[in-house]
Amino acid sequence: MTSSTVSRVAIVTGGSRGIGRAVAERLAADGLAVTIVYRSNEQEADAVVEKIEAGGGQAIAVQADVADEEAIARAFDATEEAFGGVDVVVNSAGVMILSSIADFDLDVLDRMHRTNIRGTFVVDQQAARRVRNGGAIINFSTSVTKLGSPTYAGYAATKGAVDAISPVLAKELRGRDITVNAVAPGPTATELFLDGKDEETIDRLAKLNPMERLGTPEDIAEVVSFLAGPGRWINGQTVYVNGGMVH
């Protein structure tokens, strides 16, 4: 398949594992060519590309730190070279480190802010310049911004910034038919989330919502798919994807 036959093209940051991987695989299943941007998991990123290609889709993997504007510009360049343009950008790369405010390591706070705030801003900046008319930009927030759970202040603060960025960018792209939204998952059963948690903790988190289960990466990817495709009248919003978790 040549780039001329590709109808729509997506870039997914953090696409080598977890929710990002589910998003990349879902968008590929929807018929989009996909660029997976990864920071360090080259082997896992390549495995996602192989899986997408084995299913008849098109994908490439590009290494980049989302907070590095030159690296992200190169990722957009590589996507345009491979597939002819960019229509959808999904910012799912993120860092979550938990601690009370009193005990938080401020160097860790700076690192988390670099990825979650600067990284979102850098990727959105390239997206604003390069996404084709009729496209979609989807950032990642969190339901914890409303829940206010102890130890989540640093992380929730970074995602509160994402909630602020998305509607502003939506308005700045007036006239180009490009939607900008944020998706805010609740507790989701990724390897990263489950690691280090006992059964009691997992069960308690699962029961925060009336569906009484954890979300799956596929649950989140389904909403991203909608916002990336048919959901054209949702714009400038943070969409809570958490099974009705009480706030």
Side-chain angles (χ1 to χ4, degrees), residues 12-13 37 52 59 65 171-172 181 204 226:
V12 180
T13 71
V37 176
I52 288 171
D65 171 0
K171 290 173 183 172
E172 290 179 351
N181 294 289
R204 179 177 58 79
F226 178 70

Side-chain angles (χ1 to χ4, degrees), residues 51-62:
K51 184 174 178 183
I52 288 171
E53 290 180 338
Q58 291 180 275
I60 60 171
V62 178

Side-chain angles (χ1 to χ4, degrees), residues 30 33 35 54 71 87 108 117 121-122 188 208 227:
D30 290 343
T35 294
D87 302 287
V108 171
I117 299 179
F121 205 98
V122 165
T188 304
L208 286 174
L227 294 173

Side-chain angles (χ1 to χ4, degrees), residues 1 5-6 28-29 31-33 48-59:
M1 226 183 262
T5 65
V6 175
L32 282 76
V48 182
V49 170
E50 287 172 20
K51 184 174 178 183
I52 288 171
E53 290 180 338
Q58 291 180 275

Side-chain angles (χ1 to χ4, degrees), residues 96-180:
M96 181 173 71
I97 300 153
L98 307 181
S99 175
S100 68
I101 293 170
D103 298 326
F104 216 104
D105 181 330
L106 295 179
D107 289 336
V108 171
L109 183 70
D110 289 344
R111 181 161 64 87
M112 190 159 59
H113 280 214
R114 175 179 163 79
T115 297
N116 295 2
I117 299 179
R118 181 187 167 93
T120 296
F121 205 98
V122 165
V123 174
D124 278 0
Q125 184 174 71
Q126 286 297 318
R129 294 170 180 174
R130 299 166 77 162
V131 166
R132 293 186 286 208
N133 291 4
I137 299 166
I138 298 144
N139 296 320
F140 262 74
S141 180
T142 176
S143 293
V144 174
T145 53
K146 288 200 170 185
L147 200 62
S149 303
T151 74
Y152 279 86
Y155 178 68
T158 68
K159 296 303 188 175
V162 174
D163 289 343
I165 290 166
S166 304
V168 172
L169 183 55
K171 290 173 183 172
E172 290 179 351
L173 297 180
R174 174 182 292 275
R176 288 176 55 189
D177 188 28
I178 296 171
T179 62
V180 186

